[in-house]
Amino acid sequence: MKKIAVFTSGGDSPGMNACIRSVVRSAISLDLEVFGIKYGYDGMIRGEIKKMESQSVSNIVQTGGTILKSARSEEFRTKEGRKKAYENLKKHGIEGIVAIGGDGTFTGANLFYDEFGIPVVGAPGTIDNDLYGSDYTIGFDTAVNTALDAIDKIRDTAASHDRVFFVEVMGRHSGYIAIQSGIGGGAEMVMVPETSTTIDDVISKLREGRDNKKGSSIIVVAEGDAQGSAHEIAARVKIHTPNMDIKVTNLGHIQRGGAPTAFDRILASRLGLAAVEGLINGQKGVMVGVIDNKITYTNLKLSISKSKPLNQELVRLTKILSI
Amino acid sequence: MKKIAVFTSGGDSPGMNACIRSVVRSAISLDLEVFGIKYGYDGMIRGEIKKMESQSVSNIVQTGGTILKSARSEEFRTKEGRKKAYENLKKHGIEGIVAIGGDGTFTGANLFYDEFGIPVVGAPGTIDNDLYGSDYTIGFDTAVNTALDAIDKIRDTAASHDRVFFVEVMGRHSGYIAIQSGIGGGAEMVMVPETSTTIDDVISKLREGRDNKKGSSIIVVAEGDAQGSAHEIAARVKIHTPNMDIKVTNLGHIQRGGAPTAFDRILASRLGLAAVEGLINGQKGVMVGVIDNKITYTNLKLSISKSKPLNQELVRLTKILSI
Amino acid sequence: MKKIAVFTSGGDSPGMNACIRSVVRSAISLDLEVFGIKYGYDGMIRGEIKKMESQSVSNIVQTGGTILKSARSEEFRTKEGRKKAYENLKKHGIEGIVAIGGDGTFTGANLFYDEFGIPVVGAPGTIDNDLYGSDYTIGFDTAVNTALDAIDKIRDTAASHDRVFFVEVMGRHSGYIAIQSGIGGGAEMVMVPETSTTIDDVISKLREGRDNKKGSSIIVVAEGDAQGSAHEIAARVKIHTPNMDIKVTNLGHIQRGGAPTAFDRILASRLGLAAVEGLINGQKGVMVGVIDNKITYTNLKLSISKSKPLNQELVRLTKILSI
Amino acid sequence: MKKIAVFTSGGDSPGMNACIRSVVRSAISLDLEVFGIKYGYDGMIRGEIKKMESQSVSNIVQTGGTILKSARSEEFRTKEGRKKAYENLKKHGIEGIVAIGGDGTFTGANLFYDEFGIPVVGAPGTIDNDLYGSDYTIGFDTAVNTALDAIDKIRDTAASHDRVFFVEVMGRHSGYIAIQSGIGGGAEMVMVPETSTTIDDVISKLREGRDNKKGSSIIVVAEGDAQGSAHEIAARVKIHTPNMDIKVTNLGHIQRGGAPTAFDRILASRLGLAAVEGLINGQKGVMVGVIDNKITYTNLKLSISKSKPLNQELVRLTKILSI
């Protein structure tokens, strides 16, 4: 292998730049040429491919977002689109690619690998931490800390007014951000897609808190919870608790940006190097990850089809600590 | 004057604790006894009044919220309620009070002063910076920095995806948070209650940006803008700009909490001392503030009836810098 | 087991309060009575022991330091001192203790357990991450992020002036903080006690950087590096590089404080529960930890006598990424 | 006036980039061409002058440091050096310059203006806030908040161990950072060059605190205090207070970097516009500033020769609040 390329795709996550930097510098350190593809699959099709040097990635380890930009590509969903993309890679002599992104990115990468046989290593870049084959994804730790920082601020207000706050965090199919920011934020309850919590459960918990002289309560809701959005849940709870002062906040897009935490920068750096070494060592059609703090390679098919269960220890911990 | 009391009322704002601390320690330094009233007017009626010592306010200068808590009081709107409150003050020998809060707090304070003649000095504690009689209110600078920090994070995502973001910040009647966080965040446009911006203006600005090769744009919307909420505005803009990738975030309650900035701690500390000295020097029925960096006392009636105009220099600055 | 106690000892670390909270609430949830001992071993001897309720630990999960305070105890080094301490525990009917701290704390705990047979479970609370028997210690992740935040700031200045910065971080015997903040901060070099780096190595690296047109360089030095302090190293390097603009910063005590990160709050919460369950299940004379993300109990003797090697993968990563 | 240039010089300060951005965009908005000069006077001599567009300053409002870099210039101290610099400006048709920096920068700017008559407007960019002619300098508010954030962390440790901390902050000739971070951080004492504090004063204050049952104390020392560095002061105090646990931290260079606060971004934006408008309106040999929140222009000679006194209200406030 002489030449590889790297790109980001799907929703951005903090640490993607640290991962790009690691791929570029690892490649150069290991005597490869390395190219950056802008705007993900879309840029691959349009030929937005440029050689990168060590200096191209100076001073980005600390930045959110992605210098290679990201975009959705309808065209890549077509056979012709993928063919164009492949030909652009060939034109530059690119023999292997590192795809940084999530579920959707890897579905495309897997198809691309199946059709054209080009070695692909995926690096898990998503705040949701929902990828099978890695204990952590790049951006998750930062997103949790951003959510936590917001919950800390909200607690100030909740405590000053003896209020109940419903805080909605990201996680359409996964409660990872919710459960971690909930435990970290000392939440009274966490509602996640993986477990079933009824409106009655919420009401009981709030009444129990009131009986135990809790002034305020915080309930963290993952956006994908079966009971609906935080606003919907709060509205239904309110009907039964007319004397409680209930407020709702949806943290929204702030969870995607910001300077990555140390954890995410180091994870991104490790995975970037491991992705490059994977390509050199003949890995293809895999996602690189860390399991029990060790580098692993998981078949892309597996990583996109299997789901990662929520840590039940944390679910139990939430209950024990919220008395 | 021998004994005074302090309380917080209305929405909490970062720096209220620094102000409470300053009132308490200034009073003690100037040989007064000082009492804390919990839960604002409500606690005054219920008699939640306790003597405070220098140690009672240790280690709170850096905390958000208010250790004296805050609450709405229906009862204080009645003559009987206010009478009970006054009698509770008398019982403790309290001869003057410092009321930390906003518009609503001062309306109550003014009425109370009119009816019972008890010397009241208000200290402006609200994130909205909308009080006539002070260039700045306690909590405003922190709220602006919190909003700015969120906008910085959102810009990472906006820039990575070439997106347009509408960001809603607090300010029902006032565009102060919006204009300051907009300039600080490099927003392309700021929509505030004080000026009129049409949907067409927004669309023109976005198209102009696109023509000038701006990848992304951020539009900050004060919650009280005449065109509606950020969600409503974005929905109407979207109809005319189907090819733009438009997202909306409402920052919500995180703007109220958090550790106060240096600016707010110092402002709060200065105003706390000035409130106590005001009482000692015979001020009554006034709000303490800073104008051109000097301590001033403004009649409460004025401060609640007159509105503070938005700084037009900042409005112009936004336009010049968003090219 | 009916009654247990918890205390903190040695240098404070962020997350100790989250751990205290978890011990207290876990104990109550699992039907134990729980006591807090103030000022570590010193308070145990002086009898500063108080029953704790669920509310005693409200609103502390997000705070740095330790509400139970910490102190050195000369008296506990004597047999009589330890006897007094033991009798105070007996007086309250305390049958097991959770000791939150580091090396020194556990040495005392181990001796105490040996002499009096009282079940002790240690929870690793130290920013140094140098305890055998746990992949992470409570406070380490926060300290790394604090150091990283400082390095990010320093990089702004270094880059603006094309400067070389030596940044000293904590770690008398261990390079964990240095290596992680170095990788995260994009440092050109990391000097740690576990590996040998000569002054010539530093000079070569800086010259290599200059030849590669690096404007600025950052070198992170663990306080325990064999070459001396950052100031000493910089002075020796300067002699040979008179044209380089070299500055030094020692981050010092800011690394110990601050609101704990999500990682540290969750780790502290998990270890607190596991410590209590350990006591209930008959563990004694052990330290609770996490290895490969699973709860483990390691004999205290082992944990204080064996050293935890630095992750060699990270050492290699630093070199590869600093080209 | 058709063409102007902007540069930064001297120590960098947070908000310089926001000011550069404002100069560039204001110039373009007002139909001027604008050039950026790299590395201050040094780059002016070497001819590192480049035209800037609106896009040249995209996405920098939030960054620390200076994209135009800064450097010392020995050559500019010579007549020949300044002549070369002037000729380089002429070559590009530059008719006016905006110099962002502090004392040293303005001394050079003033000389340059005197000798060659080229219109110069200085913008005060320094964390020290020591320039006559402006209530605030760009970077000061950020530096104070950075110092405050550090003091907040240190307080966690101080309180946990009942310690005395001496914290040294920047300010060789000026106590502004010290007094503001001291009040904001709830310091027991602030030692600044403008007032005289003896070692005996420190010892009395610490003993008084101990007698009042203060667990911990924080003393903020400006680097230019007459009693010496924080380390020296602490060493002398220690001799007389052997039973106190005294620690020292020097915050160092972290105070110069980091994302600017809202206050600094807005100040920098206002001053950038005012500098450009100043040039257009015939200002020359002046520094732009804000006094009582209004834009002012002060003769450069005045601004470098007169000193700005410390706010005595804040000195008194420190004493009152530290009981």
Side-chain angles (χ1 to χ4, degrees), chain C residues 31-262:
Chain C
D31 290 320
L32 302 180
E33 273 186 65
V34 58
F35 294 79
I37 304 169
K38 274 199 152 180
Y39 294 102
Y41 294 118
D42 212 45
M44 209 187 281
I45 293 171
R46 298 200 313 256
E48 295 209 38
I49 302 172
K50 256 208 199 145
K51 194 160 168 222
M52 298 187 86
E53 310 297 342
S54 177
Q55 308 294 326
S56 321
V57 292
S58 286
N59 227 358
I60 65 164
V61 72
Q62 80 280 16
T63 55
T66 160
I67 60 164
L68 291 178
K69 305 241 179 175
S70 184
R72 288 215 190 112
S73 176
E74 285 308 315
E75 206 177 341
F76 196 77
R77 292 169 189 273
T78 68
K79 184 87 195 226
E80 300 76 54
R82 292 193 293 275
K83 192 144 188 289
K84 262 196 242 171
Y86 179 68
E87 274 156 14
N88 277 327
L89 296 181
K90 288 226 82 171
K91 210 185 296 169
H92 286 87
I94 292 163
E95 300 158 281
I97 51 178
V98 178
I100 307 172
D103 220 53
T105 307
F106 294 165
T107 304
N110 184 49
L111 196 58
F112 198 49
Y113 165 63
D114 272 358
E115 287 177 354
F116 299 96
I118 186 158
V120 183
V121 175
T126 162
I127 61 168
D128 289 336
N129 200 32
D130 59 352
L131 288 168
Y132 182 84
S134 191
D135 289 343
Y136 297 102
T137 57
I138 299 164
F140 169 63
D141 186 63
T142 306
V144 170
N145 277 288
T146 299
L148 192 52
D149 190 50
I151 293 173
D152 282 352
K153 287 182 169 52
I154 286 167
R155 191 193 302 103
D156 286 343
T157 287
S160 296
H161 293 269
D162 290 352
R163 264 180 196 157
V164 173
F165 259 97
F166 287 82
V167 181
E168 184 170 319
V169 300
M170 283 189 168
R172 220 164 289 169
H173 308 292
S174 154
Y176 270 96
I177 294 179
I179 199 105
Q180 296 233 7
S181 62
I183 292 176
E188 270 61 31
M189 195 172 224
V190 176
M191 301 175 75
V192 293
E194 291 91 341
T195 64
S196 154
T197 316
T198 66
I199 297 295
D200 280 349
D201 293 339
V202 179
I203 295 169
S204 306
K205 187 74 191 173
L206 291 178
R207 290 197 176 135
E208 187 192 307
R210 200 190 45 194
D211 295 346
N212 291 344
K213 309 240 159 84
K214 286 217 177 210
S216 58
S217 292
I218 290 174
I219 294 174
V220 177
V221 182
E223 77 183 303
D225 187 74
Q227 298 292 347
S229 74
H231 278 284
E232 289 161 357
I233 295 170
R236 287 162 66 198
V237 168
K238 244 173 191 168
I239 298 169
H240 303 280
T241 58
N243 294 323
M244 290 188 185
D245 184 2
I246 295 181
K247 301 274 177 190
V248 184
T249 286
N250 183 346
L251 297 186
H253 280 86
I254 58 168
Q255 296 166 81
R256 291 206 173 279
T261 58

Side-chain angles (χ1 to χ4, degrees), chain A residues 175-176 178-180 182-183 187-197 205 309-322, chain C residues 266 270 273:
Chain A
Y176 270 96
I179 198 102
Q180 296 233 7
I183 293 176
E188 269 62 30
M189 193 172 225
V190 177
M191 302 177 74
V192 293
E194 292 91 339
T195 64
S196 153
T197 317
K205 187 75 192 171
L310 199 63
N311 188 334
Q312 287 304 315
E313 186 198 338
L314 298 185
V315 175
R316 180 172 168 247
L317 192 55
T318 313
K319 287 194 184 125
I320 286 176
L321 298 184
S322 64
Chain C
I266 294 163
R270 290 174 70 194
L273 168 58

Side-chain angles (χ1 to χ4, degrees), chain B residues 17-309:
Chain B
N17 281 333
C19 193
I20 294 168
R21 172 177 176 269
S22 177
V23 169
V24 169
R25 297 212 167 158
S26 297
I28 295 171
S29 279
L30 301 170
D31 290 320
L32 303 179
E33 272 186 66
V34 58
F35 294 78
I37 304 169
K38 275 199 149 180
Y39 294 102
Y41 294 118
D42 212 45
M44 208 187 280
I45 293 171
R46 296 200 314 256
E48 295 210 37
I49 302 173
K50 256 209 198 143
K51 191 158 172 227
M52 297 187 87
E53 310 296 342
S54 176
Q55 309 294 326
S56 320
V57 292
S58 286
N59 227 356
I60 66 164
V61 73
Q62 78 279 17
T63 56
T66 158
I67 60 163
L68 291 178
K69 306 239 177 176
S70 184
R72 286 210 193 116
S73 175
E74 285 309 315
E75 207 177 340
F76 196 77
R77 292 169 189 273
T78 69
K79 184 88 193 227
E80 301 77 54
R82 292 193 293 275
K83 191 142 189 290
K84 261 197 246 173
Y86 179 69
E87 275 156 15
N88 278 327
L89 295 181
K90 289 226 84 172
K91 209 184 300 169
H92 287 86
I94 291 163
E95 299 159 281
I97 52 178
V98 178
I100 307 171
D103 220 52
T105 306
F106 294 165
T107 304
N110 184 49
L111 196 59
F112 197 50
Y113 166 63
D114 272 357
E115 288 177 355
F116 299 96
I118 185 159
V120 183
V121 175
T126 161
I127 62 168
D128 288 336
N129 200 31
D130 58 353
L131 289 167
Y132 181 84
S134 191
D135 290 344
Y136 297 102
T137 56
I138 299 164
F140 169 64
D141 186 63
T142 306
V144 170
N145 277 289
T146 299
L148 192 52
D149 189 51
I151 292 173
D152 283 352
K153 286 182 170 50
I154 286 167
R155 192 195 301 103
D156 286 343
T157 288
S160 297
H161 293 269
D162 289 352
R163 265 182 195 155
V164 173
F165 259 96
F166 287 83
V167 181
E168 183 170 319
V169 300
M170 284 188 167
R172 221 164 289 170
H173 309 290
S174 155
Y176 270 95
I177 294 179
I179 198 102
Q180 295 233 7
S181 61
I183 291 176
E188 269 62 30
M189 193 172 225
V190 177
M191 302 177 73
V192 294
E194 291 91 340
T195 65
S196 153
T197 316
T198 66
I199 297 295
D200 279 349
D201 294 339
V202 180
I203 295 168
S204 305
K205 187 74 191 172
L206 291 177
R207 289 197 176 136
E208 187 191 307
R210 199 192 44 195
D211 295 347
N212 290 344
K213 307 240 159 83
K214 285 216 179 214
S216 59
S217 292
I218 290 175
I219 294 174
V220 177
V221 182
E223 76 183 304
D225 188 73
Q227 297 291 348
S229 74
H231 278 284
E232 289 162 357
I233 294 170
R236 287 162 65 199
V237 168
K238 244 174 192 168
I239 298 169
H240 304 279
T241 58
N243 293 323
M244 290 187 184
D245 183 3
I246 295 180
K247 300 275 175 189
V248 184
T249 286
N250 182 344
L251 297 186
H253 280 86
I254 58 168
Q255 295 166 83
R256 290 205 174 279
T261 57
F263 187 98
D264 274 331
R265 298 191 203 181
I266 293 164
L267 178 67
S269 299
R270 291 175 69 194
L271 294 180
L273 168 59
V276 173
E277 294 194 307
L279 284 175
I280 291 175
N281 297 329
Q283 295 282 359
K284 43 185 86 169
V286 298
M287 182 190 88
V288 65
V290 286
I291 296 181
D292 290 348
N293 208 22
K294 276 171 228 40
I295 294 292
T296 54
Y297 299 91
T298 301
N299 198 293
L300 275 177
K301 279 174 194 44
L302 267 186
S303 108
I304 57 186
S305 62
K306 291 191 83 165
S307 71
K308 189 163 69 172

Side-chain angles (χ1 to χ4, degrees), chain B residues 25 29 54-55 59 62 145 152 155 180 184 212 262 265-266 270 277 292 313 316 320-321 323, chain D residues 25 29 54-55 59 62 145 152 155 180 184 212 262 265-266 270 277 292 313 316 320-321 323:
Chain B
R25 297 212 167 158
S29 279
S54 176
Q55 309 294 326
N59 227 356
Q62 78 279 17
N145 277 289
D152 283 352
R155 192 195 301 103
Q180 295 233 7
N212 290 344
R265 298 191 203 181
I266 293 164
R270 291 175 69 194
E277 294 194 307
D292 290 348
E313 185 199 340
R316 179 172 169 249
I320 285 176
L321 298 185
I323 58 169
Chain D
R25 296 212 168 158
S29 280
S54 177
Q55 308 296 324
N59 227 358
Q62 79 280 17
N145 277 288
D152 282 352
R155 192 195 301 103
Q180 296 232 7
N212 290 344
R265 296 190 204 182
I266 292 163
R270 290 175 69 194
E277 293 194 308
D292 289 348
E313 185 198 340
R316 181 175 168 246
I320 286 176
L321 298 184
I323 59 168

